[in-house]
Each structure stands twice: as structure tokens, then as C-alpha cells.
Amino acid sequence: YEVVIPEKNEHARRDVKPAPETRPGTYVLQAGSYRNFADADRVRAQLALQGVESKVQKVTVDTDTWHRVRIGPITSLDELNRIRTRLRQADVDALVIRVGD
């Protein structure tokens, strides 16, 4: 699946703390998807400074190439929710993707 996330709106209000994930399974967190590898690599480096290991995944959707910044796979719910909290504290929005559904 490909999800296009619009640019951040400076006037939009952030959601209150999202509910922790409670369904056991394997998850991946996506911290962004960029057309330019350099942008994705910059986000990966920022995550590394927060102590979060991530990878840049290159994908082609139709004729467009995207570089996804992904964290995981994560199988522990405690670890997943801990990383989500750390990302929120660093003001990083991440998409939670359950693998295998």
C-alpha cells in the first residue's frame, strides 16, 4: 500500500497522544516518504540522533520513485509503543503499519 502524506499545515493542531497499539503482531513505523533520497537520508540521520535505527526503502509506484524512511520490523508491543513515544517527543509523525494483514 502507498500512503501519500500531505505537507504539514502550520495551523493544524496535533492530535492528542495516540492510543498505544494493543494487537500483537509485527509492525513497521514509517517516518516519511520522499521523492528525493537526500531528504529521506536526512530524516534517517535525525532519527539516529534520537537513538532510533531506521532504513531508507526505495519503491516505485506507477512511474514515481519514493524513498520511505522505515523503522522495524518490530514484534514487541512495548518496544513499538516506546519508539512511538520517543518519536512524538522529537516531533516526528510516524505511520503505524501492521505487517501481514
Side-chain angles (χ1 to χ4, degrees), residues 31-101:
S33 186
Y34 304 90
R35 289 181 188 259
N36 186 326
F37 174 79
D39 293 335
D41 196 47
R42 185 174 13 80
V43 171
R44 186 197 57 74
Q46 290 171 343
L47 291 172
L49 291 174
Q50 299 298 322
V52 176
E53 184 180 335
S54 62
K55 298 175 219 109
V56 176
Q57 176 188 49
K58 181 179 176 181
V59 295
T60 302
V61 179
D62 296 326
T63 59
D64 295 328
T65 299
W66 293 88
H67 300 87
R68 297 173 175 165
V69 181
R70 293 220 160 163
I71 302 160
I74 305 164
T75 55
S76 164
L77 288 177
D78 289 338
E79 178 74 2
L80 173 68
N81 292 315
R82 184 183 63 73
I83 292 173
R84 287 177 70 201
T85 299
R86 184 182 292 173
L87 293 175
R88 264 193 311 281
Q89 290 170 346
D91 199 31
V92 175
D93 293 324
L95 181 64
V96 179
I97 302 167
R98 185 177 157 97
V99 179
D101 278 350

Side-chain angles (χ1 to χ4, degrees), residues 6-18:
E7 296 293 323
K8 287 187 178 182
N9 182 343
E10 294 177 14
H11 304 290
R13 292 179 49 185
R14 285 182 70 82
D15 287 337
V16 199
K17 181 179 174 182

